[in-house]
Amino acid sequence: TVQRLALSHPEVAVRVLRDGQEQLSTPGDGKLLSAIYAVMGRQTAQEMTPVDGSWDKLSVTGFVTRPAATRGTRGSQIFFVNGRHVRSKLMTAALEQAYRNQLLQGRFPACVLHLTLPEDRVDVNVHPAKTVVKFVSDKTAFDAVYYTVMDALNRAEQPARQEEKPFYRTMT
C-alpha cells in the first residue's frame, strides 16, 4: 500500500521504518522516475522509458519497460486512474497489445501508468475496495493507453536506429 502511495504521489516524500530499519525512502521530488527507483529498484528504473500523451480528453503519463526488459509475471504492472491505484484488465490488455510482436511468449512489460480523465467518464463504485473501475467508453480508454505506449516504444527505438550506420558506410 505504501509503495503504491509513493508511486501515485511522487511529490510526497515517503519513509518507512520497520524495527528501526529503513524499508523504503522516496525523495518526494515530484519525479515519478525517482519514486520508481526507490520502490522498484535501480535496474527497473534504468530499463524504463517515459510515456506521455493524450487521447480524447484522457492523458496517459508514466513509464514502461523497453521490450528487452520484460518480466515473467504481470506483478510489476501498476496502473492509476485519476491518482487511484486500480486493477484494470482493459489497461493491461492495451499495454500488452502495444508490445505485440515484441515480446517472447510468457513475458510481460513492467509499467507505472497514470491515466487521467474527467471524473464523469469513469465509475469507481464498481468494487467495494474501489480498485476496479468502469470506463464510460472502454474503447477510448483502451486507445489512450495503447497509442500512447506505442508512441513511447517507437520513440525509445529511434536513437538506436539513428546510431546504426548504413551497410555501405561500414564497408569503406
Side-chain angles (χ1 to χ4, degrees), residues 33-147:
L33 193 58
S34 298
I36 291 170
Y37 182 98
V39 171
M40 301 173 91
R42 180 179 63 177
Q43 182 175 348
T44 299
Q46 289 174 338
E47 296 167 343
M48 294 277 190
T49 190
V51 173
D52 188 6
S54 60
W55 183 271
D56 189 31
K57 296 185 182 177
L58 283 75
S59 71
V60 180
T61 59
F63 289 86
V64 295
T65 51
R66 294 179 196 91
T70 56
R71 309 291 186 267
T73 69
R74 291 184 176 99
S76 295
Q77 293 179 357
I78 302 169
F79 300 102
F80 298 96
V81 173
N82 291 346
R84 178 190 308 267
H85 175 259
V86 298
R87 291 174 299 162
S88 172
K89 290 180 181 178
L90 182 130
M91 291 175 71
T92 299
L95 170 74
E96 292 177 6
Q97 186 70 22
Y99 281 83
R100 189 180 52 172
N101 299 328
Q102 296 186 47
L103 298 179
L104 294 173
Q105 187 73 23
R107 302 298 294 177
F108 305 95
C111 72
V112 177
L113 290 178
H114 289 260
L115 177 63
T116 306
L117 65 162
E119 291 187 18
D120 63 344
R121 289 189 167 198
V122 63
D123 182 4
V124 298
N125 294 313
V126 176
H127 187 273
K130 311 266 193 249
T131 57
V132 177
V133 295
K134 177 154 179 43
F135 299 103
V136 170
S137 171
D138 285 349
K139 181 176 179 3
T140 303
F142 182 96
D143 287 347
V145 173
Y146 173 76
Y147 287 112

